[in-house]
Amino acid sequence: MKVLMIGLGSIGQRHLRNLTAYLGEEVTFLAYRVRGQQRTFADNMQIREGVSLEEEFSICSFSDLDKALAQKPEIVYVTTVTGQHIPCAIKAVQAGCDVFLEKPVSHDLEGVKELIEIAKEQKRVVFVGFQNRYHPCLKRLKEVVSAKQLGAIISVQSEMGERLTTMHAYENYADTYMARRDQGGGVILNQQIHELDYIQWIFGEPVSVVSFNGKNGTLQIDVEDYCDSIYWVNGQMGSFPIYAHADFFQYPPKRRCKVIFENGWAEADLQAAVFTLGQGDQVTKEEFTGFQRNQMFIDEMKDFLDCVRDRRQTAFTLDEGVVSLKMALAAKKSAKDQRTVMLNEVKL
């Protein structure tokens, strides 16, 4: 199997290592690299000094995407900066490749409809990389919500927070794509997008949002560093609000989702890997002590490769990736316009 990596930053290299471990000699790698940064990462995000990525993984690199695609890769991993996702994915699909597209789908809706149409015409697999769907706590939460064992949902609280200044300790935070508007940065699109994905996956697509987001801290970046939104859901799971918070400041990092039901509550703590269920006076905890974060990436990789081999649509479709993008853009619009925004206002 020939795989083209578009972008080989920290997340691209994680996928590279996982593919190598899983496929062994079955896989050969090409790479399209623009910045050409010679940093080789370990699993703990530390730079391995003096190690050449191209040499270690026998990668043939190109500075021209068309030339890389001319080598006829079967699969393309798009892990470049957010603002380049759609143009790269469109070219890959046009070249007859199946695509693993890192989250988010994009930073805006330009070209998204074209990608959807071309992928359908070419019958290509496009898999969007939301690895948190494979987290055992979120899977348990979805089971409890879907079973309706605790009655109607009253409300949902979703929270994420992580310190931007130390996310990538190997580089100046202000230079990262997460801190730059021209590269599709901001806490909503680059961090909270995971929460928006599981919100629509577990509870259904919201109908509206009112949001407050902007720059409250002293990071001196040109994108939002916090977001507080209330999404309203009115669907198969009932009608209820979802409060969603995100910030670039909390340490240690926090990721959790708590659901209040009429007959109890449930909380998924993704950082601690603990799922808690409360019903009456009884509180039970499930601790996933053996959980390793990289397992989520391995599981999504296997899912993607199975879809490619079986020529079937992914369980987590491009359309769902677009829903989370619309949710993000609606929150941005709400804060800018200082009003409630209906999700159907955000159109392809």
Side-chain angles (χ1 to χ4, degrees):
M1 178 179 290
K2 190 180 293 185
V3 177
L4 169 62
M5 308 296 297
I6 298 182
L8 276 173
S10 58
I11 186 61
Q13 290 187 35
R14 180 184 292 276
H15 292 309
L16 181 74
R17 292 192 299 272
N18 288 339
L19 285 163
T20 300
Y22 185 60
L23 295 174
E25 294 182 358
E26 293 180 39
V27 63
T28 58
F29 291 105
L30 309 168
Y32 168 55
R33 308 190 74 177
V34 177
R35 292 184 295 174
Q37 293 178 333
Q38 297 302 312
R39 293 190 297 218
T40 303
F41 296 94
D43 282 337
N44 63 1
M45 294 285 287
Q46 297 298 310
I47 294 177
R48 300 164 62 203
E49 298 292 348
V51 178
S52 167
L53 193 68
E54 275 87 353
E55 290 180 7
E56 183 173 18
F57 293 93
S58 301
I59 302 170
C60 182
S61 293
F62 297 82
S63 58
D64 183 287
L65 181 54
D66 291 330
K67 290 181 179 179
L69 289 169
Q71 306 304 307
K72 300 189 181 304
E74 298 155 76
I75 289 174
V76 172
Y77 268 69
V78 179
T79 63
T80 185
V81 297
T82 304
Q84 293 298 314
H85 281 189
I86 294 298
C88 290
I90 287 175
K91 279 201 168 189
V93 171
Q94 287 175 330
C97 306
D98 296 307
V99 175
F100 182 102
L101 181 61
E102 258 303 333
K103 63 79 193 168
V105 169
S106 185
H107 65 303
D108 60 26
L109 293 174
E110 185 176 351
V112 173
K113 185 176 181 181
E114 181 183 357
L115 174 60
I116 293 172
E117 292 174 348
I118 293 173
K120 288 180 179 177
E121 289 172 3
Q122 299 291 330
K123 297 182 180 179
R124 294 294 97 190
V125 173
V126 179
F127 187 104
V128 184
F130 283 108
Q131 77 276 356
N132 282 348
R133 290 197 184 197
Y134 298 86
H135 196 293
C137 290
L138 277 186
K139 290 196 287 187
R140 282 289 291 120
L141 182 62
K142 183 170 175 59
E143 289 173 3
V144 170
V145 170
S146 298
K148 300 182 180 180
Q149 64 190 68
L150 296 177
I153 297 173
I154 304 303
S155 68
V156 179
Q157 303 163 14
S158 169
E159 178 184 13
M160 75 72 46
E162 187 170 0
R163 193 167 59 189
L164 176 63
T165 56
T166 53
M167 278 189 204
H168 291 180
Y170 50 84
E171 61 184 338
N172 185 334
Y173 76 89
D175 296 330
T176 66
Y177 68 91
M178 292 180 290
R180 297 175 54 179
R181 185 178 301 278
D182 65 332
Q183 294 187 356
V187 74
I188 299 174
L189 283 171
N190 292 279
Q191 288 295 317
Q192 193 185 39
I193 196 72
H194 285 293
E195 279 63 37
L196 303 186
D197 173 66
Y198 75 63
I199 283 172
Q200 58 98 9
W201 176 51
I202 296 175
F203 306 104
E205 183 176 349
V207 295
S208 65
V209 61
V210 58
S211 182
F212 303 88
N213 57 74
K215 293 174 284 186
N216 269 1
T218 57
L219 293 174
Q220 297 183 338
I221 56 180
D222 66 353
V223 288
E224 81 282 344
D225 55 31
Y226 83 97
C227 178
D228 286 280
S229 302
I230 298 178
Y231 290 91
W232 184 256
V233 172
N234 183 16
Q236 292 183 347
M237 292 297 169
S239 299
F240 49 88
I242 298 179
Y243 165 66
H245 169 82
D247 68 71
F248 268 152
F249 302 102
Q250 290 192 67
Y251 189 84
K254 179 168 286 190
R255 265 204 151 101
R256 70 177 189 93
C257 182
K258 184 173 184 178
V259 184
I260 309 299
F261 301 89
E262 60 179 335
N263 298 317
W265 57 275
E267 180 173 284
D269 186 331
L270 279 67
Q271 288 296 128
V274 174
F275 179 77
T276 308
L277 193 66
Q279 189 170 14
D281 296 331
Q282 185 176 4
V283 176
T284 58
K285 285 190 175 183
E286 295 179 53
E287 299 183 11
F288 298 91
T289 53
F291 171 72
Q292 296 291 325
R293 183 170 180 268
N294 192 51
Q295 189 61 47
M296 297 187 297
F297 295 93
I298 293 173
D299 290 343
E300 71 171 358
M301 172 198 68
K302 291 180 178 178
D303 236 356
F304 170 56
L305 293 178
D306 285 346
C307 291
V308 170
R309 286 167 174 158
D310 298 341
R311 304 314 306 162
R312 60 180 171 82
Q313 185 54 267
T314 69
F316 311 141
T317 65
L318 176 57
D319 289 338
E320 286 186 315
V322 173
V323 170
S324 61
L325 175 58
K326 286 182 176 181
M327 290 169 65
L329 297 178
K332 286 175 172 282
K333 182 174 179 60
S334 173
K336 181 181 178 181
D337 296 352
Q338 297 184 348
R339 66 178 179 88
T340 298
V341 171
M342 306 302 293
L343 264 292
N344 61 17
E345 293 181 46
V346 184
K347 302 180 184 298
L348 288 178

